[in-house]
């Protein structure tokens, strides 16, 4: 059995060295651009070179994140960066953008590509699609169960990476637009502002508050350390730790714990997971869960606080104006951080009184007094949020060293010969100095061994050494050390050169602009039969009908539109897990019914559908952001990402023969989740969930509808409705279709919207409906 890889995050150089010293097999990190953690310190070119040298000398792989969506105008800069990464010898590139994937496979065929979790790969067919395109490894969506992961591993021929520890996104990665729509900071561009960690209230359609001011979207952190044997036995290639925004001590703590757990499994040793969890909790803790691994719907959330709440440290006995008397539940030291139970109010421990005397440390069970700067009351539990002694210990982990074998010979009238072996690398050197005969002072074997093993300032340690020394010979210590230094430097160079590749200067040019005169027509997306009928009666050319894989429902839709000019296009959910098994029979049935167009919203569905004779419409969940991504799919039509500006849309559309669509009306989806706040806090209410009966209310009083997609997956919709009525500009952008996106609209509302856009398309005067509207990103764009 190949040993599983332990993959650690590195948001800066200090975190990287901590991860390596704690025992990781590989690190993932980002440059200053094109990485999904733009607010981490990240690595400039010089730091990245230093990181590669540090890791590669210690046999640690380096994967670089290029896992954001890339606009056309950014590709030239990206290509220069990719050339640098390629020649520098990175072990793999992690990507989200399908266009970037296409470019990498065509121009850097010997560079390994890992598909980011931002690609939302959540089924076997999605993995198979990427495998065919030359992807070396897929990082699966965090929502998958262990059973699903096992099935994918057993039925695919590429490496599979799974998150095992760290922060969990409440939305499917790659399907979160909340930060983007609400604040202009796109998670798909590495700029997530984490609005999911804010407080919300759950209310119903009647305005009744069901839960007030909780962190309703804040998930507890993933922790799988108790289940490492099961995960290893599932055949997963790499265990990934989340945390590029975390400090070096956090990284060291988690890597160290998982290193011990993994090694204990392979060595058939007992492992104390409880002790490991307790130590990790002392570094950072907002609650732990196993995420989705053992159940489709997680219930463990951090509703009270999304911050580090630490671990219980003391109970308040009494309070005076100057100090609070505490009974310690665990040790405490000067320099620790202490807070209330929610982690909202806290301070650094500066003075500890025990029996009336100042002490630097007190122990579990002690009665102490602390001057607190925040209000507490009797019997309240206080938490330790920073453990100064543990942090100091983690800051000073022993440096990681690689074993080498040395053989040396010192013979008469010859230079000192040194051979060093390390793994596949062998180097041989001779000293500049020649040995001399000496009757008074001569070199002994132990002396030579001592000088040759003094390499503490390098990445190596001497595991074995053999020396052959003829009697009565002398060589200066300087000459020996110089030969040793030369040998080590040669070994370092040999190891680093092994990873480096030839310099590249890749040519890149976008497709040329084309003369393109498109007839622009309205399209309509709905999951309601009545609205489908309404759209067909009003003459809408294409209606995407989300029939929820119910063929009877689809037949009804066809029956309702049979006397109209409307083409009904089957639409599918953006997430297809167990449901993917039903797709082939569905497509065959649709084809037999004479359907020749379908709307495709995920990679697994595309992998299946491209083998049929459908005209494929690529939908917005596939995040098409540039012309190369369009070319990856070679579709009939593409609904472009609603994070693009009008100018960016125009730039893409004018460079391709494909037909393009933009969403111009609707409550844009902000998130797609397996997690259901209604189920967690009220009860399962499937019928009303599908109609948008519940809302999240934010701190500004805005109501964001919650709507199930028909398969108990929840979408959060924007409170403000997208309303783009600059029809002339949209026509000039080279678009073929303008989509009206129906979610929770009532019959009367959607009829008015459809009629309004029909008039607008004819450039007639219109009356704009009342309501709170937004023009989305058409003009402002995203960071």
């Amino acid at each position: 059995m190949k040993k599983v890889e332990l993959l650690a995050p590195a948001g800066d150089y200090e975190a990287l060295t901590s991860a390596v010293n704690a025992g990781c097999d590989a690190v993932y990190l980002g440059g200053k651009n094109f990485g999904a953690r733009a607010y981490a310190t990240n690595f400039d070119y010089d730091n990245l070179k230093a990181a590669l040298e540090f890791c590669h000398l210690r046999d640690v792989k380096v994967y670089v994140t290029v896992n954001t969506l890339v606009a056309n105008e950014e590709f030239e800069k990206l290509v220069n960066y990719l050339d640098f990464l390629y020649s520098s010898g990175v072990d793999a590139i992690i990507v989200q953008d399908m266009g970037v994937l296409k470019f990498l496979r065509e121009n850097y065929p010997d560079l390994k590509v890992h598909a980011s979790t931002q690609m939302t790969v959540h089924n076997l067919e999605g993995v198979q699609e990427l495998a065919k395109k030359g992807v070396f490894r897929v990082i699966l969506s965090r929502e998958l169960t262990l059973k699903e992961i096992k099935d994918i591993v057993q039925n695919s021929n590429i490496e599979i990476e799974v998150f095992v520890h760290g922060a969990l996104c409440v939305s499917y990665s790659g399907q979160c637009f909340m930060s983007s729509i609400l604040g202009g900071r796109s998670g798909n561009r590495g700029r997530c502002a984490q609005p999911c960690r804010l407080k919300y209230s759950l209310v119903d359609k009647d305005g009744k508050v069901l839960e007030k001011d909780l962190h309703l979207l804040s998930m507890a952190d993933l922790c799988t350390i108790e289940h490492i044997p099961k995960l290893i036995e599932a055949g997963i290639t790499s265990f990934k730790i989340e945390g590029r925004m975390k400090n070096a001590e956090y990284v060291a703590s988690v890597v160290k714990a998982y290193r011990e757990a993994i090694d204990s499994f392979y060595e058939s040793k007992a492992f104390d997971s409880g002790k490991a969890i307790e130590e990790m909790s002392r570094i950072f803790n907002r609650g732990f869960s196993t995420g989705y691994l053992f159940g489709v719907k997680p219930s463990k959330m951090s509703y009270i606080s999304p911050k580090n709440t630490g671990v219980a440290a003391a109970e308040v006995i009494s309070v005076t104006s100057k100090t609070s008397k505490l009974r310690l539940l665990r040790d405490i030291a000067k320099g620790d951080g202490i807070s209330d139970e929610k982690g909202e109010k806290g301070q650094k421990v500066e003075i500890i009184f025990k029996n009336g005397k100042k002490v630097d440390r007190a122990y579990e069970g002690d009665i102490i007094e602390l001057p607190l700067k925040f209000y507490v009351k009797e019997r309240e539990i206080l938490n330790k949020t920073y453990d100064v002694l543990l942090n100091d210990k983690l800051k000073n982990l022993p440096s990681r060293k690689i074993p080498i074998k040395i053989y040396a010979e010192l013979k008469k009238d010859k230079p000192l010969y040194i051979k060093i072996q390390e793994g596949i690398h062998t180097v041989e050197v001779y000293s500049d100095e020649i040995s001399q005969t000496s009757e008074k002072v001569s070199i002994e074997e132990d002396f030579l061994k001592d000088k040759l093993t003094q390499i503490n300032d390098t990445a190596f340690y001497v595991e074995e050494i053999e020396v052959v020394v003829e009697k009565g010979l002398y060589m200066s210590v300087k000459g020996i050390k110089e030969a040793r230094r030369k040998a080590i430097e040669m070994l370092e160079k040999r190891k680093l050169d092994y990873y480096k590749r030839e310099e590249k200067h890749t040519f890149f040019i976008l497709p040329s602009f084309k003369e393109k005169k498109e007839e622009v027509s309205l399209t309509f997306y709905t999951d309601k039969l009545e609205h489908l009928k309404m759209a067909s009666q009003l003459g809408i050319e294409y209606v995407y009908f989300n029939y929820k894989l119910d063929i009877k429902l689809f037949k009804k839709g066809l029956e309702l539109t049979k006397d109209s000019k409307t083409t009904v296009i089957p639409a599918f959910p953006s997430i297809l897990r167990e449901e993917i098994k039903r797709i082939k029979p569905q497509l065959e049935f649709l084809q037999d019914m004479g359907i020749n167009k379908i709307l495709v919203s995920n990679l697994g569905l595309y992998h299946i559908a491209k083998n049929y004779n459908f005209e494929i419409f690529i939908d917005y969940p596939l995040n098409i952001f540039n012309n190369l991504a369009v070319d990856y799919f070679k579709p009939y039509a593409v609904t472009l990402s609603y994070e693009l500006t009008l100018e960016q849309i125009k730039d893409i559309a004018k460079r391709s023969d494909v037909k393009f669509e933009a969403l111009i009306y609707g409550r844009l989806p902000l998130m797609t989740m397996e997690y259901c706040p209604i189920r967690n806090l009220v009860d399962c209410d499937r019928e009303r969930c599908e109609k948008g009966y519940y809302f999240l209310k934010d701190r500004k009083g805005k109501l964001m509808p919650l709507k199930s997609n028909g398969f108990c997956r929840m979408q959060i919709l924007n409170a403000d409705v997208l309303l783009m009525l600059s029809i002339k500009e949209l026509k000039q952008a080279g678009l073929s279709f303008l989509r009206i996106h129906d979610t929770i609209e009532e019959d009367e509302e959607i009829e008015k919207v459809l009629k309004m856009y029909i008039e607008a398309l004819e450039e007639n005067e219109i009356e704009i409906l009342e309501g709170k509207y937004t023009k989305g990103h058409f003009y402002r764009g995203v960071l």
Side-chain angles (χ1 to χ4, degrees):
M1 181 190 292
K2 185 179 178 182
K3 197 170 185 179
V4 71
E5 174 187 87
L6 179 58
L7 176 57
D12 58 27
Y13 196 84
E14 187 181 2
L16 178 134
T17 57
S18 288
V20 172
N21 291 337
C24 70
D25 300 304
V27 296
Y28 65 102
L29 53 86
K32 294 293 185 181
N33 297 293
F34 307 112
R37 286 293 182 269
Y39 298 122
T41 302
N42 291 319
F43 293 75
D44 60 20
Y45 279 26
D46 289 339
N47 281 338
L48 187 50
K49 284 181 179 178
L52 284 164
E53 288 186 5
F54 183 85
C55 290
H56 284 163
L57 286 175
R58 291 160 179 82
D59 296 336
V60 172
K61 293 179 179 178
V62 179
Y63 309 142
V64 176
T65 58
V66 186
N67 57 341
T68 60
L69 300 180
V70 180
N72 273 354
E73 64 268 22
E74 296 170 316
F75 257 90
E76 188 175 344
K77 184 177 180 180
L78 172 65
V79 171
N80 291 334
Y81 183 47
L82 293 175
D83 281 344
F84 164 75
L85 295 178
Y86 177 84
S87 61
S88 296
V90 302
D91 295 276
I93 304 286
I94 304 170
V95 301
Q96 172 188 10
D97 192 300
M98 303 307 293
V100 177
L101 168 59
K102 182 177 187 294
F103 186 80
L104 281 166
R105 292 284 39 90
E106 289 175 354
N107 293 280
Y108 310 86
D110 57 332
L111 178 56
K112 291 176 181 176
V113 176
H114 296 180
S116 171
T117 189
Q118 289 285 125
M119 274 196 189
T120 326
V121 182
H122 58 276
N123 49 44
L124 173 62
E125 289 74 10
V127 173
Q128 290 171 336
E129 168 63 24
L130 293 172
K132 279 202 166 184
K133 291 298 192 294
V135 169
F136 187 77
R137 176 186 294 184
V138 172
I139 306 156
L140 295 176
S141 292
R142 281 171 269 204
E143 286 76 8
L144 298 190
T145 65
L146 185 57
K147 181 182 176 183
E148 289 172 304
I149 293 167
K150 270 184 177 179
D151 181 64
I152 289 171
V153 169
Q154 290 168 3
N155 292 285
S156 58
N157 58 0
I158 62 174
E159 294 189 349
I160 298 297
E161 181 176 307
V162 171
F163 282 91
V164 296
H165 193 96
L168 285 170
C169 293
V170 71
S171 172
Y172 275 89
S173 293
Q175 304 304 310
C176 180
F177 304 90
M178 196 170 194
S179 175
S180 166
I181 297 296
L182 300 186
R185 297 181 179 184
S186 170
N188 284 319
R189 303 265 292 158
R191 302 277 178 179
C192 181
Q194 296 193 318
C196 54
R197 298 293 181 183
L198 299 177
K199 286 184 177 180
Y200 298 93
S201 296
L202 180 65
V203 303
D204 64 19
K205 200 168 187 176
D206 300 322
K208 182 181 178 183
V209 177
L210 306 173
E211 292 289 346
K212 186 174 182 179
D213 289 342
L214 294 175
H215 299 275
L216 293 180
L217 302 177
S218 181
M219 297 195 74
D221 283 2
L222 178 66
C223 178
T224 66
I225 201 159
E226 295 174 280
H227 304 283
I228 289 300
K230 292 178 185 175
L231 293 169
I232 292 174
E233 288 163 355
I236 297 162
T237 306
S238 181
F239 290 170
K240 185 171 198 168
I241 296 165
E242 183 278 337
R244 281 200 289 141
M245 298 292 288
K246 297 290 200 309
N247 64 22
E249 293 78 31
Y250 172 90
V251 172
S253 167
V254 178
V255 173
K256 177 173 166 286
Y258 279 83
R259 177 77 279 151
E260 291 172 5
I262 292 167
D263 290 348
S264 295
F265 171 83
Y266 287 108
E267 295 166 12
S268 300
K269 292 181 180 176
F271 175 71
D272 190 343
S273 60
K275 182 181 176 183
I277 291 170
E278 196 274 341
E279 183 171 297
M280 289 188 290
S281 299
R282 285 157 60 194
I283 296 297
F284 188 90
N285 178 28
R286 60 177 158 217
F288 288 134
S289 82
T290 54
Y292 300 87
L293 279 172
F294 302 103
V296 176
K297 303 288 182 186
S299 58
K300 186 75 182 290
M301 303 290 289
S302 55
Y303 288 146
I304 304 302
S305 174
K307 300 176 183 176
N308 174 27
T309 55
V311 290
E315 181 184 9
V316 179
I317 298 172
S318 62
V319 181
T320 69
S321 59
K322 291 184 178 180
T323 64
S324 298
K325 186 179 285 188
L326 312 175
R327 177 182 293 106
L328 292 185
L329 305 176
R330 65 178 64 239
D331 300 356
I332 198 166
K334 187 177 177 181
D336 282 350
I338 197 163
S339 77
D340 65 356
E341 210 166 356
K342 293 183 181 179
E344 293 177 345
K345 297 171 290 184
Q347 69 180 70
K348 185 178 179 180
V349 175
E350 296 170 342
I351 302 171
I352 303 172
F353 291 104
K354 180 179 174 181
N355 299 326
K357 296 180 180 179
K358 288 184 183 179
V359 295
D360 289 336
R361 191 175 180 186
Y363 302 90
E364 181 182 340
D366 285 351
I367 306 297
I368 65 166
E369 290 182 80
L370 289 182
L372 293 179
K373 298 174 184 177
F374 57 94
Y375 174 76
V376 295
K377 54 189 177 183
E378 288 183 15
R379 303 187 72 179
E380 186 175 345
I381 299 297
L382 301 183
N383 286 357
K384 181 158 69 167
T385 55
Y386 184 82
D387 190 316
V388 66
L389 298 176
L390 178 56
N391 273 270
D392 286 346
K393 175 184 169 185
L394 292 168
K395 283 177 185 175
N396 295 290
L397 292 175
S399 297
R400 182 163 174 173
K401 302 281 186 179
I402 299 298
I404 60 174
K405 297 177 182 178
I406 296 179
Y407 173 79
E409 287 181 356
L410 186 62
K411 295 188 175 182
K412 186 179 178 181
D413 297 331
K414 290 185 178 180
L416 172 64
Y417 167 75
I418 302 174
K419 181 171 79 171
I420 300 180
Q421 288 180 296
E422 188 282 309
I424 62 172
H425 305 290
T426 301
V427 297
E428 298 174 290
V429 300
Y430 293 90
S431 65
D432 294 331
E433 191 176 329
I434 303 296
S435 67
Q436 302 173 28
T437 303
S438 174
E439 295 181 2
K440 293 183 178 180
V441 181
S442 61
I443 299 292
E444 301 292 335
E445 286 187 3
D446 288 345
F447 181 84
L448 183 57
K449 284 181 180 179
D450 178 62
K451 298 308 172 193
L452 292 178
T453 55
Q454 291 179 10
I455 56 171
N456 291 336
D457 58 343
T458 74
F460 310 106
Y461 74 91
V462 180
E463 183 180 49
E464 292 180 22
I465 183 167
E466 180 184 355
V467 299
V468 176
V469 180
E470 291 184 357
K471 297 294 183 181
L473 297 180
Y474 172 80
M475 179 175 285
S476 71
V477 171
K478 181 180 178 181
I480 296 170
K481 287 183 175 181
E482 184 63 25
R484 182 198 68 205
R485 182 192 61 77
K486 190 162 61 172
I488 293 294
E489 285 183 356
M490 188 180 292
L491 176 61
E492 290 175 339
K493 186 176 186 303
R494 185 75 53 83
K495 287 200 73 169
L496 296 176
D497 286 349
Y498 176 78
Y499 291 93
K500 289 179 181 176
R501 305 180 185 92
E502 64 179 8
E503 278 197 26
K504 280 187 77 100
H505 301 282
T506 306
F507 176 76
F508 172 76
I509 187 168
L510 284 165
S512 301
F513 282 109
K514 301 174 185 290
E515 284 295 326
K516 193 173 185 182
K517 292 184 179 179
E518 291 290 325
E519 288 293 323
V520 181
S521 58
L522 295 175
T523 61
F524 181 58
Y525 180 101
T526 189
D527 61 358
K528 306 177 188 74
L529 278 175
E530 188 59 38
H531 293 187
L532 168 62
K533 179 181 177 183
M534 192 184 299
S536 69
Q537 289 172 343
L538 290 170
I540 302 298
E541 181 181 359
Y542 291 143
V543 176
Y544 307 116
F545 184 38
N546 180 3
Y547 70 105
K548 301 173 185 176
L549 305 185
D550 183 345
I551 288 292
K552 289 182 180 178
L553 188 65
F554 190 78
K555 283 182 175 178
K556 286 180 183 177
L558 289 182
E559 183 65 26
L560 288 173
T561 59
K562 67 179 181 179
D563 296 324
S564 71
K565 295 180 180 179
T566 295
T567 299
V568 182
I569 300 176
F572 299 84
S574 59
I575 305 298
L576 290 166
R577 288 170 62 177
E578 283 295 313
E579 303 86 3
I580 198 79
K581 295 173 184 174
R582 297 162 57 187
I583 289 299
K584 283 185 180 179
Q586 294 271 327
L587 295 182
E588 287 163 8
F589 200 88
L590 290 168
Q591 200 166 57
D592 290 344
M593 292 170 66
I595 302 299
N596 63 1
K597 294 176 173 64
I598 62 169
L599 184 66
V600 169
S601 52
N602 71 70
L603 275 176
L605 175 59
Y606 172 74
H607 182 69
I608 298 170
K610 68 182 182 180
N611 295 314
Y612 292 79
N613 294 320
F614 294 111
E615 289 181 339
I616 291 178
F617 288 58
I618 294 293
D619 205 4
Y620 69 85
L622 281 162
N623 290 320
I624 306 301
F625 218 76
N626 54 65
N627 281 97
L628 278 77
V630 175
D631 291 344
Y632 174 95
F633 290 103
K634 298 182 175 61
Y636 174 78
V638 170
T639 309
L640 291 167
S641 166
Y642 49 74
E643 294 189 290
L644 290 165
T645 66
L646 195 56
E647 280 302 309
Q648 289 171 321
I649 289 170
K650 183 177 180 180
D651 188 64
I652 294 171
K654 297 282 180 139
R655 296 180 189 274
S656 175
D657 292 325
V658 169
K659 295 183 180 297
F660 291 96
E661 177 177 73
L663 270 69
I664 59 166
Y665 175 89
R667 291 167 173 84
L668 295 180
L670 302 179
M671 284 187 179
T672 300
M673 312 180 294
E674 283 292 341
Y675 158 70
C676 178
I678 299 155
R679 181 178 181 271
N680 261 23
L681 298 166
V682 184
D683 200 358
C684 186
D685 192 357
R686 183 165 182 165
E687 184 178 347
R688 290 198 288 187
C689 278
E690 291 181 20
K691 293 179 180 178
Y693 180 79
Y694 297 95
F695 299 81
L696 290 183
K697 185 177 182 180
D698 71 10
R699 57 191 176 174
K700 295 178 181 178
K702 288 193 172 185
L703 295 174
M704 294 178 284
L706 295 167
K707 186 182 189 307
S708 169
N709 71 346
F711 296 93
C712 286
R713 293 187 185 99
M714 193 63 66
Q715 284 196 322
I716 303 175
L717 307 176
N718 195 17
D720 296 336
V721 178
L722 173 69
L723 183 71
M724 179 63 173
L725 278 166
S726 302
I727 301 297
K728 188 175 181 181
E729 288 183 276
L730 291 166
K731 286 180 176 180
Q732 291 171 347
L735 292 165
S736 300
F737 308 120
L738 307 177
R739 185 196 294 189
I740 297 164
H741 197 74
D742 176 27
T743 51
I744 63 166
E745 284 79 0
E746 301 289 347
D747 296 353
E748 185 181 351
E749 180 183 1
I750 206 66
E751 184 177 18
K752 287 179 179 178
V753 169
L754 287 167
K755 287 179 177 178
M756 177 181 69
Y757 272 104
I758 289 169
E759 291 298 317
L761 198 62
E762 295 298 323
E763 299 183 13
N764 297 328
E765 283 192 21
I766 57 170
E767 183 180 340
I768 298 175
L769 305 176
E770 290 185 10
K772 291 184 178 179
Y773 297 109
T774 174
K775 291 184 179 179
H777 289 303
F778 280 108
Y779 299 107
R780 70 173 182 173
V782 293
L783 292 175

